[in-house]
Amino acid sequence: MNRKTNASASPARRVFIKSYGCQMNVYDSVRMADVLTAEGFQETDSPSEADLVILNTCHIREKAAEKVYSELGRLRKIKAERKANGRETLVAVAGCVAQAEGDEIVRRAPVVDMVFGPQSYHRLPDFVSRAEAGESVVDTEFPAEDKFDHLPLQMPKGARGQRRASAFLTVQEGCDKFCTFCVVPYTRGAEFSRPVTKIVDEARRLVAGGVSEITLLGQNVNAYHGEGPDGREWCLARLIEAVAGIGGIKRLRYTTSHPRDMDDTLIAAHRDIETLMPYLHLPVQSGSDRVLKAMNRGHGRNRYLEIIEDVRAARPDLALSSDFIVGFPGESDEDFEDTLDLVRRVRYAQAFSFKYSARPGTPAADAGDQVPEAVKAERLQRLQVLLRDQQAAFADGLVGQTLPVLFEKPGKLTGQIVGRSPYLQPVQVMAPENLMGAIMPVTITEAGPNSLFGHLTDPPDNTVKALTVGEAMVSA
Ligand code: SAH
Ligand code: SF4
Ligand code: F3S
């Protein structure tokens, strides 16, 4: 399996990888890049320069899945143009659409040479050499071996070699919860937790390479129950404690959590572990007990509100975020009002909301009482107005405060760099580039719709000044 492909003979071979969907797909793309780098590939951000194009796809909603086909249409042209210049291009569809649709993708889009799911990308070198030999590769098995054992070590460098301040680390994958609307249990398979030692080693290497912040990932990350060094099952709180103990790690986050697995030890970790950031993404989907039951979420609205109360008691400055689905089959006006009511009670700092999208093969897709599109659209609009107001209120409340900001990348404007607040908001600051990767106190001066703006509280020299929303708009 680790045999070298022809690719490794020519160091100039290039790969373009595009991620759709959740953070786990972003992590998987980084790992695919690692596999291919070890085979002599270099990453490029231009598909027309690429000898290999990988679309790492998402199947969660119809729109996400359909995006792939429009991208494949564009790639068909690029492949033909390159061919006219004597250059071959391999096209791969990876990720959750690949897992769900398999060889149907090749039938619909013959431009595709390889289709493989999220559990088999460690076999990429083998897939590439088979595709180069003219085979149409389709691999959507859930292999018996653990892909993590067959991947090269995660490199602490980002795409195209730049240092990363923040990195994702998958600790748990798959889902056994089978919410009636969701494809994830089918595309990612059964819940699986990586052993503690492997995770801590990967985290240590990331930190040694300059990473300051790690986000532990899982579809249900708080269902984590990996094997600890003592041979026992460890919960997420213990894992967080172990990772927090690595010297040099400055910030820890975890996502996505399920309310059912939000236990007291994890809540206590928000009080006790200083590096654990005061932010919790805890999707609720609906505020109606009836809908939550039909969704098979395994908890009611009161339990959710109780958890919120408990985490806020543990960490009073905690910012909350959630996911919502409107127009789930059978959702009445009253059910939807219950969702609005829950949102008003919780007061979110951030949220994602979606119209229910019927996904083939999931139980809710066959329900007889589908909600008309116009009703879904109207509900989404009302919910989003409320959530936007709450997000703005939260951000406005930070103006005048000094927040520690982890600087991650250059901003849009010359001289500007962008970092993240503890609450995950982008913060735009005029500051020297050498602060990338550092955490600095920033005085927040303005709150825009998607970012905060501010200036270094202790500027290294007097050329640094505050960037206001007005300036950003003029120059953007
Ligand atoms: N494991 C997480 C969610 C993963 S999917 C959890 O249980 O909360 C990310 C989000 O996509 C979900 O929270 C849900 O809001 C949304 N989603 C999933 N399936 C969907 C569907 N069929 N239609 C619309 N939104 C959906
Ligand atoms: Fe999907 Fe539910 Fe599993 Fe989340 S818990 S991934 S929504 S099935
Ligand atoms: Fe999408 Fe798969 Fe993630 S369906 S949301 S990429 S687990």
Side-chain angles (χ1 to χ4, degrees), residues 84-378:
N85 292 322
R87 283 143 72 205
E88 296 297 333
T89 315
L90 290 178
V91 175
V93 176
C96 292
V97 177
Q99 190 62 46
E101 295 185 6
D103 54 7
E104 180 61 31
I105 297 175
V106 186
R107 270 199 289 281
R108 213 174 135 181
V111 66
V112 174
D113 303 287
M114 289 173 262
V115 175
F116 51 89
Q119 303 311 344
S120 52
Y121 61 77
H122 55 297
R123 297 183 184 155
L124 251 171
D126 180 48
F127 297 157
V128 170
S129 57
R130 279 161 53 197
E132 279 177 336
E135 191 186 329
S136 172
V137 177
V138 177
D139 191 315
T140 53
E141 295 299 304
F142 288 115
E145 83 254 18
D146 169 8
K147 76 175 169 220
F148 293 104
D149 285 341
H150 292 78
L151 288 170
L153 304 175
Q154 185 179 181
M155 321 247 175
K157 301 269 178 197
R160 291 162 286 288
Q162 80 272 25
R163 272 168 79 100
R164 274 185 293 156
S166 180
F168 292 133
L169 203 175
T170 293
V171 304
Q172 179 276 347
E173 203 173 335
C175 183
D176 296 338
K177 295 209 164 50
F178 291 93
C179 301
T180 53
F181 52 83
C182 183
V183 293
V184 171
Y186 314 97
T187 63
R188 292 273 172 173
E191 253 172 49
F192 161 81
S193 297
R194 297 177 68 191
V196 172
T197 316
K198 298 259 172 73
I199 295 164
V200 171
D201 283 353
E202 190 170 328
R204 202 172 272 133
R205 259 191 317 275
L206 289 170
V207 174
V211 167
S212 305
E213 174 184 88
I214 293 181
T215 304
L216 306 177
L217 294 183
Q219 262 90 21
N220 282 296
V221 71
N222 54 349
Y224 178 84
H225 58 278
E227 191 189 331
D230 54 4
R232 300 202 174 170
E233 267 189 12
W234 282 29
C235 63
L236 183 66
R238 271 191 96 177
L239 176 71
I240 290 173
E241 207 181 327
V243 178
I246 297 172
I249 193 151
K250 298 191 185 112
R251 286 182 166 189
L252 269 174
R253 301 178 184 277
Y254 64 93
T255 202
T256 295
S257 302
H258 194 294
R260 252 159 81 185
D261 299 311
M262 205 65 217
D263 59 31
D264 290 344
T265 32
L266 186 54
I267 294 175
H270 279 281
R271 182 192 59 216
D272 300 335
I273 301 177
E274 212 185 316
T275 38
L276 186 58
M277 289 292 98
Y279 184 91
L280 177 64
H281 181 62
L282 194 63
V284 66
Q285 318 298 354
S286 166
S288 150
D289 277 334
R290 223 174 55 82
V291 173
L292 286 169
K293 190 154 195 282
M295 287 176 163
N296 190 32
R297 291 292 287 180
H299 67 85
R301 63 180 268 132
N302 285 343
R303 173 68 195 132
Y304 183 83
L305 291 169
E306 225 171 74
I307 298 169
I308 300 299
E309 213 171 283
D310 291 350
V311 279
R312 280 192 164 137
R315 183 80 207 230
D317 70 331
L318 188 101
L320 279 154
S321 151
S322 192
D323 293 340
F324 297 90
I325 295 178
V326 298
F328 182 80
E331 185 188 67
S332 65
D333 284 340
E334 206 184 346
D335 293 322
F336 177 64
E337 290 300 330
D338 283 348
T339 299
L340 295 178
D341 178 71
L342 178 136
V343 171
R344 284 189 203 105
R345 282 167 197 257
V346 174
R347 288 169 288 111
Y348 289 99
Q350 155 112 54
F352 304 89
S353 45
F354 313 99
K355 285 190 266 184
Y356 169 72
S357 168
R359 305 308 291 131
T362 59
D366 300 326
D369 42 3
Q370 300 289 328
V371 173
E373 190 53 34
V375 176
K376 286 188 206 173
E378 198 253 346

Side-chain angles (χ1 to χ4, degrees), residues 20-22 25 57-60 96 183-184 187-188 219:
Y20 303 80
C22 61
N25 258 11
T57 59
C58 175
H59 201 244
I60 202 83
C96 292
V183 293
V184 171
T187 63
R188 292 273 172 173
Q219 262 90 21

